[in-house]
Amino acid sequence: ECKKEEPDNSITFFDSIQNPFDGWSGSTIKCSICHHVRPIRSTPFLGLSLPVATIQSTFLQDFLAAEYGGFQQAEQVSDVQCMSCAILKKINELEEENLLVTSAISSVQRRKRGRHAQQQCNAGGVGDEKDDTNDDTIVGLLKESQQIDKELAALKAIDPDTDENDDDDNTGESNDLCDYYNIHDNCRSLNGMSPLRCNAYKASFLIRPPKVLCIHLQRRHYDMACDQMVKVMKYVDFPEVLDVSSYCAFRTNSFGQKNMNVSINDVNEN
């Protein structure tokens, strides 16, 4: 009988070796209206490409800060969908509506107490009659207030950072939010609600610097005056030891070290 060979799932020596050039960068978006910051999207890299022509400085630290300086060097983008703005707008509308309903309940109760006191003062025992009209009005307003409270609770439970709403290519149509967020009761406010479009700030960081950081200075750029690619012959000053912690999303590494120093071992110019 032929024995079936079992697949070898053991990790080889080469699989266990980590590429020293492997690093992770990330980017996030901050809404300019509600200031909501989306989760960081990470991307692997083997080297960093830094444009030289667009930066007036000659220091390597300034080139890094321009690309990975976080929100201090954030790029402004327009027409970005923000579900957090839509949720906050709807919450404000419901809170104003709830305030009006609460004021209406208080007004009806005051009128009922005043009418009851007036009836008590009248002769003939008219004050013993029951005013069913005001009772029905208060019951209806109380149900409306409870409905609004449930809708507010449902809206506040929504996480705006989801794959569906975080997609920049999304058309913004959200006709099935109740099923998507698993909210099936008292969710009339979600019907037809879609993300709002607004301006935002896009920031980039280093998530995990590699053991060996490879930096490429992009000297060639398109010159509109000459209508051709030109090379920027600019002197670049770089330190022998570079602290990249100021360009990282997390100021300390996994070992709790605040300084992430990188030594400059080699420079290639072409």
Side-chain angles (χ1 to χ4, degrees):
E1 295 181 0
C2 297
K3 295 183 179 180
K4 186 178 180 179
E5 295 183 358
E6 296 181 357
D8 185 10
N9 296 326
S10 60
I11 300 177
T12 62
F13 172 74
F14 294 100
D15 294 333
S16 61
I17 298 178
Q18 183 181 2
N19 190 341
F21 296 99
D22 259 342
W24 287 83
S25 63
S27 62
T28 184
I29 293 178
K30 179 180 180 180
C31 179
S32 62
I33 298 178
C34 66
H35 305 291
H36 174 73
V37 180
R38 299 186 184 182
I40 297 177
R41 289 184 173 182
S42 56
T43 306
F45 69 87
L46 296 176
L48 302 179
S49 182
L50 306 178
V52 176
T54 56
I55 308 300
Q56 299 296 328
S57 176
T58 59
F59 294 94
L60 179 63
Q61 296 92 320
D62 295 332
F63 299 145
L64 279 170
E67 293 294 319
Y68 301 98
F71 286 108
Q72 294 181 355
Q73 301 290 335
E75 173 190 2
Q76 187 171 2
V77 291
S78 59
D79 200 25
V80 176
Q81 296 184 17
C82 182
M83 193 63 189
S84 177
C85 281
I87 294 173
L88 291 177
K89 180 182 178 182
K90 198 65 181 180
I91 288 176
N92 291 334
E93 292 176 356
L94 288 176
E95 287 178 345
E96 292 179 359
E97 183 180 351
N98 198 15
L99 183 60
L100 293 176
V101 173
T102 304
S103 300
I105 293 174
S106 301
S107 178
V108 172
Q109 289 176 343
R110 285 196 303 269
R111 289 201 303 267
K112 181 180 179 180
R113 288 193 298 265
R115 188 179 296 111
H116 183 72
Q118 183 66 29
Q119 290 175 353
Q120 290 289 344
C121 295
N122 294 334
V126 182
D128 295 334
E129 295 181 1
K130 183 177 180 181
D131 192 351
D132 296 332
T133 303
N134 287 337
D135 290 341
D136 294 340
T137 303
I138 293 177
V139 170
L141 291 174
L142 287 174
K143 289 183 178 179
E144 182 69 18
S145 180
Q146 292 175 358
Q147 175 71 21
I148 295 175
D149 290 336
K150 292 178 181 179
E151 292 180 11
L152 285 171
L155 286 171
K156 292 177 181 179
I158 294 178
D159 182 9
D161 300 317
T162 58
D163 294 335
E164 178 177 312
N165 296 317
D166 201 29
D167 190 0
D168 294 337
D169 298 330
N170 193 355
T171 58
E173 297 296 333
S174 303
N175 297 324
D176 217 10
L177 284 177
C178 298
D179 293 334
Y180 186 80
Y181 291 108
N182 197 22
I183 303 174
H184 300 284
D185 298 327
N186 309 303
C187 58
R188 64 180 184 180
S189 297
L190 297 180
N191 297 329
M193 188 175 68
S194 59
L196 299 181
R197 294 187 176 273
C198 57
N199 295 331
Y201 300 98
K202 183 178 181 181
S204 299
F205 312 88
L206 295 179
I207 303 297
R208 182 180 62 81
K211 294 182 178 179
V212 179
L213 180 60
C214 180
I215 297 177
H216 169 238
L217 298 180
Q218 189 176 348
R219 293 183 175 272
R220 295 190 178 273
H221 77 108
Y222 176 74
D223 192 347
M224 298 183 62
C226 303
D227 194 19
Q228 63 180 357
M229 297 295 294
V230 297
K231 185 176 182 179
V232 179
M233 304 301 296
K234 180 167 62 174
Y235 174 81
V236 177
D237 187 3
F238 53 89
E240 294 184 0
V241 177
L242 177 64
D243 184 11
V244 297
S245 60
S246 58
Y247 317 113
C248 296
F250 310 101
R251 298 307 184 192
T252 58
N253 57 16
S254 57
F255 299 100
Q257 298 174 347
K258 295 183 178 180
N259 295 329
M260 305 179 194
N261 295 328
V262 177
S263 299
I264 306 295
N265 296 324
D266 192 11
V267 177
N268 293 324
E269 180 73 19
N270 51 27

